[in-house]
Amino acid sequence: MTYHRLVSGPANYRKEFAGSRMKTLLCAAAFSLVFAGSNFGIGTASAQDATYSAEEVSQHFKQLKTRSLKPTGQTRALCIGTRDECNPNGAKQEGGQVAVTSQDPDANAGDNQTAETLVVDPDTKAIDEGFNLLVSFEYASARLSTEAKVNLREFAKGIADPELASAVFVIEGHTDGIGSLNYNQRLSEDRAQAVSEFLVSLGVGRDRLKTVGYGKTRPAVADINDPSNRRVESKLVFE
């Protein structure tokens, strides 16, 4: 009513102006509802692209499973221990633990064939060729970010592949070197557990997942404070 008194001119002009103003307000309100809806979970999963695909996950573990099932012989060796323990004289690349390969003694001269060495953790029985889940957390917490959840949805789809139905996975938590040993150990355990629980909520069997935290004891690169050491990896348990 107050608005109509402020508008001068014929009555019919005032009505048309008021009607136009009302339409503008209604359109603005509708836009606000749509925008707000996106913040309440409408389409949030599709708003963020995954860093990797379910197909990449399944292919990684299927080829690793195939390799692990090869009969032991001259074309494959098995070492129980860390990569450094299995190849103490190996040259470190990019810092962190060394990769392990050894020359096939029966290879012909000039033949580049190598005997592949599978390194298996003595405690978890996990093959040491992890898949970086690329999950991020809120600062100094084990709360998964939205981006992390998008990636983990793809991971869950990948390990649902029928060829991996009996596979068991270790979820490893790692931190950088900032902070005390005890703090980082607990944080790595909490983050690994958070990933595991989210995967279970997506339908992954709890009996298919094992969690372990290594704190800052197993850096991926030599500079222990490098952010790339803050990671969660998944590894296939050796059958």
Side-chain angles (χ1 to χ4, degrees):
M1 297 297 293
T2 303
Y3 177 77
H4 281 260
R5 287 196 297 270
L6 291 175
V7 179
S8 61
N12 60 344
Y13 175 80
R14 293 201 302 270
K15 290 180 180 179
E16 290 175 2
F17 191 92
S20 176
R21 176 64 174 171
M22 181 59 69
K23 290 179 181 179
T24 301
L25 292 174
L26 288 174
C27 288
F31 177 81
S32 296
L33 286 172
V34 171
F35 183 80
S38 66
N39 292 328
F40 283 99
I42 300 175
T44 52
S46 59
Q48 174 71 36
D49 293 331
T51 308
Y52 48 79
S53 68
E55 179 66 17
E56 290 173 316
V57 173
S58 61
Q59 287 301 319
H60 172 85
F61 288 111
K62 284 193 291 187
Q63 61 87 19
L64 190 57
K65 183 177 181 181
T66 299
R67 286 161 52 197
S68 72
L69 294 175
K70 290 180 180 179
T72 302
Q74 292 181 338
T75 58
R76 195 203 73 174
L78 180 67
C79 178
I80 307 297
T82 67
R83 280 179 286 173
D84 287 331
E85 292 170 340
C86 291
N87 191 11
N89 297 320
K92 294 187 177 182
Q93 298 179 359
E94 302 298 329
Q97 298 184 50
V98 298
V100 180
T101 55
S102 57
Q103 185 69 34
D104 186 339
D106 294 333
N108 296 326
D111 191 342
N112 291 326
Q113 181 182 6
T114 58
E116 179 183 44
T117 302
L118 285 177
V119 180
V120 179
D121 188 282
D123 298 321
T124 64
K125 308 304 180 189
I127 299 173
D128 192 31
E129 291 191 33
F131 188 94
N132 192 335
L133 297 176
L134 298 176
V135 295
S136 54
F137 299 86
E138 294 183 8
Y139 178 72
S141 81
R143 188 185 298 275
L144 290 165
S145 68
T146 300
E147 294 80 6
K149 293 179 180 179
V150 172
N151 281 340
L152 291 176
R153 288 188 180 95
E154 288 299 304
F155 182 81
K157 292 176 186 176
I159 64 173
D161 188 291
E163 293 185 39
L164 297 172
S166 62
V168 177
F169 303 89
V170 175
I171 306 298
E172 295 182 354
H174 301 269
T175 69
D176 59 23
I178 301 174
S180 69
L181 186 66
N182 289 338
Y183 171 79
N184 281 300
Q185 178 61 36
R186 179 60 182 273
L187 183 60
S188 68
E189 293 173 0
D190 289 347
R191 287 179 169 177
Q193 189 63 37
V195 168
S196 180
E197 290 300 323
F198 185 72
L199 291 174
V200 169
S201 76
L202 296 176
V204 179
R206 192 178 295 274
D207 59 342
R208 300 184 64 197
L209 302 172
K210 299 180 180 180
T211 61
V212 61
Y214 290 113
K216 57 183 179 181
T217 63
R218 296 191 180 186
V221 298
D223 181 0
I224 194 172
N225 293 329
D226 191 293
S228 62
N229 289 319
R230 301 196 297 262
R231 67 199 191 279
V232 177
E233 295 183 3
S234 178
K235 295 180 179 177
L236 180 68
V237 173
F238 182 78
E239 297 182 0

